Amino acid sequence: GKLLPEHSIPRYNRENVIAALDRAQVIAIQMPAHHSEVECAADLVASLKTGKRTLVILRNLGEIDEFVQNFRKRHLILVISKEAGFTEEPKSWEIGNKQTVEGIEERIRLSPIILTDRNFLLQSRFFELLRDPDRKYYFNIVLADGAEQLFEPLNHYMQSFAEQSIFIGDANRVIFPLKSQEARNAGLGVSTLEKLIKFDAFFESKEYAVFSEHFPHLPDQITEALRR
């Protein structure tokens, strides 16, 4: 890469992010608090090229529900957020309690988009056990929101599941610091998103791409009130 004359982050739009996947291994998207990261995630996943096997990691079950509601092609989705106790009357994106192990394996194999939440990812080794003999990584893309909360070790753990990564978050949002002073001294108390947004945007690189959703203009009556 090369050093840029100033801190430069292109404005976010879906088409540019999809195009960046042709070259970049990691994409960071700065999403201010008044925008929905889940809507952004659903929009991007819906725009991926056919055949891309994608793992979407959201903060919690509520965000999984929001993603599903924002995603039109729900027959492509499989939600995996628990290992047992499945529903008796599953929707098209759910695993049913009456499905056999073989049936569940088939659902996983045929589902191009798998949704999970961060808690299940960390408590279960399920995704570590997924294997495809013809591929180094089981997934083509891993996408995670709330990425300002993903410190380096967790960030690299998520990246280990796929060839490419997309992280969405707000690098300016205040988060709880690491308790370990030793870990902070080693540079592990900063998220990959924050590094990319605040520092690496001074460089042009083929390995990563950075985008930012801007704040909309305030209504005229509000800006007039602020000037008084």
Side-chain angles (χ1 to χ4, degrees), residues 26-197:
V26 180
I27 293 177
I29 301 172
Q30 166 67 16
M31 190 66 56
H34 62 285
H35 290 277
S36 171
E37 295 176 22
V38 177
E39 286 184 15
C40 174
D43 190 39
L44 285 174
V45 173
S47 304
L48 293 173
K49 295 177 181 177
T50 303
K52 293 288 186 182
R53 192 180 282 171
T54 306
L55 173 63
V56 181
I57 305 168
L58 301 173
R59 290 185 182 90
N60 50 53
L61 298 179
E63 287 198 346
I64 289 179
D65 290 340
E66 182 183 347
F67 185 102
V68 171
Q69 295 308 312
N70 279 282
F71 202 82
R72 292 184 178 181
K73 298 180 179 179
R74 295 172 189 165
H75 62 283
L76 300 177
I77 297 174
L78 179 62
V79 174
I80 300 178
S81 57
K82 53 187 173 182
E83 294 182 340
F86 303 116
T87 181
E88 291 290 334
E89 299 181 1
K91 299 181 176 65
S92 64
W93 56 87
E94 296 176 321
I95 295 173
N97 206 30
K98 297 178 181 179
Q99 285 184 273
T100 63
V101 172
E102 292 76 15
I104 293 174
E105 289 177 347
E106 185 73 358
R107 284 290 310 279
I108 293 170
R109 187 180 66 82
L110 295 176
S111 299
I113 303 164
I114 292 182
L115 268 63
T116 193
D117 66 283
R118 201 180 298 171
N119 186 56
F120 179 78
L121 178 81
L122 297 178
Q123 291 188 355
S124 169
R125 294 188 61 237
F126 175 83
F127 294 102
E128 296 178 24
L129 299 176
L130 289 179
R131 294 287 185 272
D132 186 329
D134 299 323
R135 302 159 61 104
K136 180 179 179 181
Y137 299 98
Y138 187 83
F139 296 98
N140 297 100
I141 296 170
V142 60
L143 183 151
D145 74 344
E148 74 281 350
Q149 301 170 350
L150 306 178
F151 296 126
E152 287 286 359
L154 179 53
N155 200 289
H156 288 298
Y157 177 65
M158 290 183 176
Q159 289 184 57
S160 71
F161 294 121
E163 299 168 359
Q164 294 174 288
S165 308
I166 301 175
F167 295 106
I168 306 171
D170 185 357
N172 299 315
R173 187 178 293 144
V174 177
I175 59 174
F176 293 109
L178 284 182
K179 293 182 179 180
S180 169
Q181 182 65 50
E182 185 177 354
R184 293 198 300 271
N185 291 342
L188 301 180
V190 180
S191 68
T192 297
L193 178 84
E194 184 177 351
K195 289 182 178 179
L196 287 170
I197 296 296

